[in-house]
Amino acid sequence: MADILQQIASNLYEGEDEAVAGLVQKALDQGHKPSEVLQGGLIAGMDQVGRDFKAGDLFVPEVLIAARAMHAGMGVLRPLLAESDAPSAGKYVIGTVKGDLHDIGKNLVKMMLEGAGFETVDLGTDVEPAAFVAAVREHKPSMVGMSALLTTTMVQMRATVEALVEAGLREQVKIMVGGAPVTETFAKEIGADAYAPDAASAVDVARSMGCLLYTSPSPRDRTRTRMPSSA
């Protein structure tokens, strides 16, 4: 019989949300620490989803189903993790910039980050620079992610970076940008710290930038949902 943490990872990959929740509780009943279940079961499962997403073996609907299973497991774990000293991979504020209402890519990034152990603060869509500034002040994240699907809204990324500079908060956070029209060159031009070409790669970039604890391969979005840190 497979190790219960492997069972959790496998069922998560298959999107079996009820099974994942039940197995998480069973693992806890058997004496596994919440942090062990998180890393060895849920994160391990989402990492495999990420790898196969990048390879083109999984697509957006399958990732969404796996993410639903991950959330079911987290529903059992979250209260216990809050009580324990289990570290998160970092806090990440994410949003789609002002004037842009697209959120599919942003939501994928959020789910992949949460599956990798990040605590996310989702500001939603059409987020003004001032709202990003307020969120950084309130939540003190290690990273801010912005998404844009329209070339006409990309300028709001620059405006947000400038707003963080003016507020004296720029040095406190790393900034990642992404979305279909966004490029690495553009990210450098506006003073962002990083660019991710797709939702799954955003996790790897966040990890590599010290946001923090986990390391794992990254997935490529074959469906062209190229929204790095954005909400």
Side-chain angles (χ1 to χ4, degrees):
M1 179 174 171
D3 174 84
I4 192 163
L5 299 184
Q6 294 175 350
Q7 292 180 52
I8 291 171
S10 176
N11 278 270
L12 184 151
Y13 184 93
E14 297 297 331
E16 301 292 340
D17 52 338
E18 292 184 7
V20 169
L23 286 166
V24 166
Q25 185 59 58
K26 183 177 179 182
L28 294 170
D29 293 342
Q30 290 180 355
H32 287 280
K33 295 179 181 179
S35 58
E36 293 174 342
V37 179
L38 174 65
Q39 296 183 52
L42 300 181
I43 289 177
M46 282 303 292
D47 278 350
Q48 186 60 53
V49 170
R51 287 191 285 272
D52 289 351
F53 186 34
K54 181 170 185 177
D57 296 326
L58 293 180
F59 300 93
V60 171
E62 294 159 306
V63 173
L64 295 176
I65 291 171
R68 182 181 64 187
M70 182 269 295
H71 281 292
M74 284 301 297
V76 178
L77 272 188
R78 191 171 286 112
L80 299 174
L81 289 169
E83 295 172 3
S84 71
D85 294 326
S88 79
K91 186 179 289 185
Y92 196 110
V93 164
I94 187 168
T96 303
V97 295
K98 181 182 178 181
D100 203 320
L101 300 177
H102 296 87
D103 69 353
I104 293 177
K106 178 268 292 178
N107 291 342
L108 277 174
V109 172
K110 176 188 173 183
M111 285 185 274
M112 296 297 289
L113 287 168
E114 290 176 346
F118 287 86
E119 178 184 351
T120 64
V121 178
D122 187 350
L123 303 182
T125 63
D126 193 21
V127 183
E128 298 198 11
F132 279 106
V133 170
V136 170
R137 280 203 178 104
E138 178 182 356
H139 299 287
K140 298 178 173 52
S142 47
M143 197 161 210
V144 171
M146 293 182 278
S147 174
L149 191 64
L150 306 173
T151 54
T152 53
T153 59
M154 288 168 62
V155 293
Q156 293 300 323
M157 292 180 168
R158 185 191 301 272
T160 301
V161 173
E162 291 173 351
L164 288 166
V165 171
E166 291 172 8
L169 299 171
R170 178 64 184 90
E171 299 305 314
Q172 298 180 25
V173 294
K174 299 291 186 181
I175 296 175
M176 188 195 301
V177 296
V182 180
T183 64
E184 187 168 6
T185 299
F186 176 76
K188 291 178 180 177
E189 287 176 355
I190 65 172
D193 298 293
Y195 158 77
D198 52 65
S201 297
V203 174
D204 288 337
V205 174
R207 284 168 163 166
S208 70
M209 295 186 75
C211 272
L212 280 164
L213 299 173
Y214 312 113
T215 358
S216 98
S218 84
R220 173 176 139 218
D221 186 351
R222 202 165 163 188
T223 64
R224 299 182 185 271
T225 308
R226 300 160 55 88
M227 314 250 165
S229 15
S230 62

